[in-house]
Short mmCIF file of all heavy atoms in Angstrom, two decimals:
data_model
loop_
_atom_site.label_atom_id
_atom_site.label_comp_id
_atom_site.label_asym_id
_atom_site.label_seq_id
_atom_site.Cartn_x
_atom_site.Cartn_y
_atom_site.Cartn_z
N TYR A 24 -23.77 1.64 -26.69
CA TYR A 24 -25.07 2.06 -27.06
C TYR A 24 -25.19 3.60 -26.85
O TYR A 24 -24.54 4.15 -26.01
CB TYR A 24 -26.16 1.40 -26.09
CG TYR A 24 -27.46 1.97 -26.34
CD1 TYR A 24 -28.34 1.41 -27.31
CD2 TYR A 24 -28.09 2.95 -25.49
CE1 TYR A 24 -29.64 1.95 -27.59
CE2 TYR A 24 -29.38 3.46 -25.76
CZ TYR A 24 -30.10 2.94 -26.76
OH TYR A 24 -31.38 3.46 -27.02
N ASP A 26 -28.21 6.93 -27.61
CA ASP A 26 -29.43 7.55 -28.10
C ASP A 26 -29.33 9.05 -27.65
O ASP A 26 -28.32 9.42 -27.24
CB ASP A 26 -30.64 6.82 -27.62
CG ASP A 26 -30.98 6.76 -26.14
OD1 ASP A 26 -30.44 7.66 -25.43
OD2 ASP A 26 -31.72 5.88 -25.70
N LYS A 67 -34.57 3.06 -17.83
CA LYS A 67 -35.31 2.06 -18.64
C LYS A 67 -34.38 1.40 -19.63
O LYS A 67 -34.69 0.40 -20.15
CB LYS A 67 -36.50 2.63 -19.27
CG LYS A 67 -36.23 3.57 -20.50
CD LYS A 67 -37.56 3.98 -21.00
CE LYS A 67 -37.36 4.77 -22.23
NZ LYS A 67 -38.67 5.16 -22.96
N LYS A 68 -33.16 1.93 -19.95
CA LYS A 68 -32.28 1.42 -20.87
C LYS A 68 -31.33 0.37 -20.27
O LYS A 68 -30.82 -0.54 -20.96
CB LYS A 68 -31.35 2.47 -21.47
CG LYS A 68 -32.14 3.54 -22.28
CD LYS A 68 -32.93 2.90 -23.44
CE LYS A 68 -33.65 4.02 -24.18
NZ LYS A 68 -34.21 3.58 -25.43
N VAL A 69 -31.28 0.37 -18.88
CA VAL A 69 -30.37 -0.60 -18.24
C VAL A 69 -30.75 -2.10 -18.57
O VAL A 69 -29.73 -2.86 -18.90
CB VAL A 69 -30.30 -0.29 -16.74
CG1 VAL A 69 -29.50 -1.36 -15.98
CG2 VAL A 69 -29.71 1.06 -16.55
N PRO A 70 -31.90 -2.50 -18.45
CA PRO A 70 -32.18 -3.98 -18.66
C PRO A 70 -31.82 -4.39 -20.17
O PRO A 70 -31.25 -5.47 -20.33
CB PRO A 70 -33.70 -4.13 -18.43
CG PRO A 70 -33.96 -2.97 -17.49
CD PRO A 70 -33.13 -1.92 -17.90
N MET A 71 -32.09 -3.46 -21.12
CA MET A 71 -31.73 -3.76 -22.51
C MET A 71 -30.25 -3.90 -22.76
O MET A 71 -29.82 -4.88 -23.35
CB MET A 71 -32.31 -2.63 -23.51
CG MET A 71 -31.90 -2.82 -24.87
SD MET A 71 -32.17 -1.41 -25.85
CE MET A 71 -30.99 -0.33 -25.24
N ILE A 72 -29.44 -2.97 -22.17
CA ILE A 72 -28.08 -3.11 -22.26
C ILE A 72 -27.51 -4.28 -21.57
O ILE A 72 -26.58 -4.95 -22.05
CB ILE A 72 -27.43 -1.76 -21.85
CG1 ILE A 72 -27.92 -0.62 -22.77
CG2 ILE A 72 -25.89 -1.84 -21.89
CD1 ILE A 72 -27.63 0.82 -22.21
N ALA A 73 -28.04 -4.51 -20.32
CA ALA A 73 -27.60 -5.64 -19.57
C ALA A 73 -27.86 -7.01 -20.29
O ALA A 73 -26.96 -7.86 -20.34
CB ALA A 73 -28.26 -5.66 -18.17
N ARG A 74 -28.98 -7.09 -20.88
CA ARG A 74 -29.30 -8.32 -21.70
C ARG A 74 -28.35 -8.48 -22.88
O ARG A 74 -27.96 -9.57 -23.14
CB ARG A 74 -30.74 -8.28 -22.16
CG ARG A 74 -31.81 -8.58 -21.06
CD ARG A 74 -33.25 -8.81 -21.72
NE ARG A 74 -33.68 -7.63 -22.30
CZ ARG A 74 -34.46 -6.63 -21.69
NH1 ARG A 74 -34.75 -6.76 -20.41
NH2 ARG A 74 -34.89 -5.63 -22.35
N ALA A 75 -27.94 -7.40 -23.58
CA ALA A 75 -27.14 -7.40 -24.66
C ALA A 75 -25.73 -7.97 -24.19
O ALA A 75 -25.04 -8.75 -24.90
CB ALA A 75 -27.03 -6.21 -25.40
N ILE A 76 -25.28 -7.42 -23.10
CA ILE A 76 -23.95 -7.74 -22.56
C ILE A 76 -23.94 -9.26 -22.23
O ILE A 76 -23.04 -10.02 -22.69
CB ILE A 76 -23.64 -6.97 -21.31
CG1 ILE A 76 -23.35 -5.50 -21.68
CG2 ILE A 76 -22.24 -7.48 -20.63
CD1 ILE A 76 -23.30 -4.52 -20.55
#
Side-chain angles (χ1 to χ4, degrees):
Y24 174 81
D26 65 21
K67 76 178 185 178
K68 299 298 180 172
V69 171
M71 176 193 70
I72 297 165
R74 284 189 297 268
I76 293 166

